[in-house]
Amino acid sequence: MLSKAVALGEVSSLPEFNAERHYMVKLINRNLPSHLSKWQPTIDSMLEKVVDEGDIFVTIDQRLVPAGNTHRVGGVHVDGYWMEGLSCHGGNGRWKQSSHSQHLPWAGEVESLFLLSDVSGCVVYEGEWEGTPNEKGGCEHIDLSCLEQKVLLPNVVYAGDTGAMLHEGTKFNIDTYRTLVRLNVKGWLPC
């Protein structure tokens, strides 16, 4: 599989930090529900280069990350493909289980993972890799020796194949306020 993160452009600003957390909210015609309208310019900027997509889901996570911790998932992993009806991620033959879902096989969809953060806190491993993620998407057992590390820069939108983009959160040296916006975009992959 090919792991890569394509930079799609910069986003000039994000809404101010309010410790908001919203998980996999479905966009309707690229629009957020009214209670998240302040995030619409950010989403519009993230999707500027996307055409002919299917369903889009957004996760917004603003947190104070304590020193020595990652904001989200630590360890090399893939997120997996979003299965709306089961409220879980999956791919490569397994599903990443949520608290109210089950593991099922992946049906072979195309889906992109978009990442945007106001503070750098993620590394992507780029190149061809082989293997199968574990049942939670973990890939610590995958040989990364031939892959190149790419640090994702703040305020830049990156996109890659949801089930193939190997990435990991990085630990912060000091307590850090961080905003992450993630999109799962069905039916579209970056060049």
Side-chain angles (χ1 to χ4, degrees), residues 1-6 70 73-79 113 115 121-130 137-152 158-171:
M1 283 189 263
L2 178 62
S3 175
K4 68 178 180 174
V6 178
T70 63
V73 179
V76 180
H77 66 281
V78 294
D79 281 11
L113 175 69
L115 297 172
C122 184
V123 173
V124 170
Y125 296 89
E126 293 193 316
E128 290 285 344
W129 62 278
E130 294 181 13
C139 294
E140 289 88 0
H141 59 283
I142 302 294
D143 180 9
L144 305 175
S145 62
C146 293
L147 303 181
E148 184 178 327
Q149 284 189 21
K150 177 191 257 183
V151 175
L152 301 191
Y158 293 91
D161 184 321
T162 304
M165 188 170 69
L166 295 170
H167 61 287
E168 70 178 320
T170 55
K171 293 181 180 180

Side-chain angles (χ1 to χ4, degrees), residues 44 66 68 71 80 85-86 94 104 114 117 127-128 148 154-155 173 177:
D44 292 343
H71 180 173
L86 297 175
R94 298 191 181 230
L104 293 172
F114 285 57
S117 176
E128 290 285 344
E148 184 178 327
N155 300 315
N173 294 327
Y177 289 94

Side-chain angles (χ1 to χ4, degrees), residues 32-60:
L32 287 163
S34 60
H35 71 285
L36 297 176
S37 62
K38 71 179 180 181
W39 292 93
Q40 192 65 53
T42 301
I43 301 305
D44 292 343
S45 292
M46 291 177 75
L47 293 171
E48 192 172 279
K49 295 183 179 175
V50 177
V51 294
D52 299 328
E53 81 284 347
D55 290 338
I56 301 171
F57 299 86
V58 62
T59 293
I60 298 165

Side-chain angles (χ1 to χ4, degrees), residues 64-72 74 121 169-176:
L64 171 59
V65 184
N69 290 285
T70 63
H71 180 173
R72 295 188 50 89
T170 55
K171 293 181 180 180
F172 291 95
N173 294 327
I174 60 171
D175 293 353
T176 304

